Amino acid sequence: RQIPADASFHSASFSGTDQPRVLITGGLGQLGVGLANFLRKRFGKDSVILSDIRKPPDHIFHSGPFIYSDILDYKNLREIVVNNRITWLFHYSALLSAVGEANVSLARAVNITGLHNVLDVAAEHNLRLFVPSTIGAFGPTSPRNPTPDLCVQRPRTIYGVSKVHAELMGEYYHYRYGLDFRCLRYPGIISADSQPGGGTTDYAVQIFHDAIKSGKFECNLKPSTRLPMMYIDDCLRATLEVMEAPAESLSMRTYNVNAMSFTPEDLTQEVLKHIPEFQITYNVDSVRQAIADSWPMNFDDSNARKDWGWKHDFDLPELVTTMLNFYGSDTR
Ligand code: AKB
């Protein structure tokens, strides 16, 4: 692997006016397909390649370029970047918080070793690299209400540890080699057409499916558990906005982004406005509850708002209306 010995190659082959050629890793997770569709509207269908190690469903395979890519296989990754003249890489492969605790060695391989491959290929080929981080990069000793960008980060999950590692490694490669690394710490992301898998904030997606399907939902967090959340449209827009922001506007390379904070109780009250017969019960999962209790309750994203003009569109009422409308069952 050949990483430049200094930062002199910085922006040698990419200028902000070029149309990017995009690769998305971990493309069949909660966010990849939505991001691909969003970027394809902006940059053209063939400019955005979705990749994963899993076989895509037909509708995804036919909606635009899809390729096999294993982030643990450095040569495979490099071949894809070279053959497709990739200039922007969105690295979405990761095991999330709850599933990571159930399989620490796999989480360590995917989230840490995989990131090393991605950083090296991005540095070697002068890519602009986006890596999502998370509220999970904070822990019980971080200030939780609100949580600023810069504070103590001592997460107690392998997911959180791997994300702090990603933030620090990306920033190190930026300062050491000139890598154009950009990172947002996402709150829990709520999406209608794609499912999360193995996260602590998943309840806030599942509740809509179950409310529509059966009018009932069993929640695995306590009613008073407050966590930062965001609707997927805001998440995708924030991601593109930070990627397009002029480098001079970025006073740092890892930003908190936020939209709202709510508890299962708050969310239930809002769902009840649409489905008065909705019923929630609680069956707390101790692993998820311990994780949630160590995470931010409110996220301070004032630097993102100040530096590159971040502004969310969806608060809780719009989120609930949109999610229920998506399933065609807004009963008002
Ligand atoms: C999880 O719950 O693990 C993720 C996250 C907040 O990073 N959704």
Side-chain angles (χ1 to χ4, degrees):
R1 303 185 190 188
Q2 294 177 344
I3 299 171
D6 59 41
S8 60
F9 80 114
H10 193 192
S11 73
S13 69
F14 179 79
S15 97
T17 54
D18 290 343
Q19 191 86 319
R21 294 190 50 78
V22 176
L23 176 67
I24 302 171
T25 67
L28 297 182
Q30 187 193 4
L31 305 175
V33 173
L35 181 69
N37 293 337
F38 186 67
L39 296 178
R40 281 172 184 158
K41 280 190 201 124
R42 175 64 156 263
F43 301 125
K45 188 168 107 174
D46 294 331
S47 301
V48 180
I49 302 175
L50 199 60
S51 74
D52 207 295
I53 52 171
R54 287 182 288 155
K55 191 159 72 168
D58 283 354
H59 71 280
I60 291 173
F61 187 70
H62 294 300
S63 65
F66 182 93
I67 204 164
Y68 171 85
S69 122
D70 179 0
I71 54 151
L72 294 176
D73 178 347
Y74 182 76
K75 282 177 75 177
N76 170 244
L77 200 56
R78 183 166 63 183
E79 193 174 315
I80 292 167
V81 166
V82 169
N83 287 352
N84 296 285
R85 295 178 301 113
I86 296 300
T87 55
W88 283 15
L89 176 49
F90 293 81
H91 177 47
Y92 277 91
S93 316
L95 266 70
L96 297 185
S97 56
V99 79
E101 291 312 288
N103 197 340
V104 173
S105 62
L106 184 63
R108 199 179 68 174
V110 173
N111 296 13
I112 298 180
T113 309
L115 175 91
H116 292 168
N117 287 336
V118 165
L119 284 171
D120 283 350
V121 92
E124 267 185 28
H125 298 280
N126 193 21
L127 309 184
R128 185 169 295 182
L129 173 63
F130 179 82
V131 179
S133 186
T134 160
I135 49 172
F138 298 95
T141 51
S142 306
R144 294 180 62 216
N145 192 10
T147 306
D149 282 302
L150 297 176
C151 63
V152 169
Q153 288 179 264
R154 286 291 179 275
R156 302 246 174 108
T157 60
I158 186 65
Y159 176 60
V161 169
S162 71
K163 289 298 185 180
V164 176
H165 177 77
E167 295 175 5
L168 292 175
M169 286 295 285
E171 291 183 11
Y172 174 75
Y173 269 55
H174 171 67
Y175 294 115
R176 179 73 175 76
Y177 302 120
L179 174 67
D180 194 351
F181 170 79
R182 300 172 185 219
C183 176
L184 296 181
R185 295 193 190 101
Y186 291 158
I189 304 299
I190 297 163
S191 54
D193 55 356
S194 56
Q195 297 294 305
T200 303
T201 57
D202 293 8
Y203 92 87
V205 178
Q206 194 62 37
I207 190 171
F208 295 103
H209 292 251
D210 291 14
I212 297 300
K213 217 175 78 199
S214 63
K216 291 186 197 142
F217 175 63
E218 188 180 86
C219 184
N220 55 22
L221 294 179
K222 289 183 193 163
S224 59
T225 311
R226 180 171 298 281
L227 290 167
M229 301 278 184
M230 181 182 280
Y231 184 58
I232 187 161
D233 288 15
D234 276 339
C235 168
L236 300 178
R237 190 167 50 77
T239 303
L240 180 58
E241 282 176 10
V242 78
M243 282 298 268
E244 291 192 317
E248 323 78 78
S249 69
L250 303 176
S251 66
M252 46 189 165
R253 290 286 162 161
T254 302
Y255 286 93
N256 294 351
V257 279
N258 196 22
M260 63 194 105
S261 269
F262 58 74
T263 65
E265 217 157 31
D266 299 335
L267 185 51
T268 302
Q269 289 309 317
E270 204 57 43
V271 171
L272 282 169
K273 291 182 188 165
H274 300 257
I275 308 176
E277 63 282 9
F278 175 64
Q279 287 177 341
I280 187 162
T281 51
Y282 293 92
N283 182 11
V284 172
D285 172 320
S286 57
V287 173
R288 282 185 168 81
Q289 188 64 49
I291 293 173
D293 288 343
S294 75
W295 281 2
M297 299 162 79
N298 281 299
F299 219 25
D300 176 353
D301 62 356
S302 48
N303 287 314
R305 290 174 192 263
K306 182 162 53 77
D307 286 1
W308 45 275
W310 168 239
K311 195 169 171 304
H312 70 278
D313 281 338
F314 287 78
D315 281 305
L316 183 57
E318 297 82 51
L319 168 80
V320 171
T321 306
T322 306
M323 288 296 284
L324 295 176
N325 274 342
F326 182 86
Y327 296 110
S329 300
D330 191 353
T331 54
R332 276 174 314 162

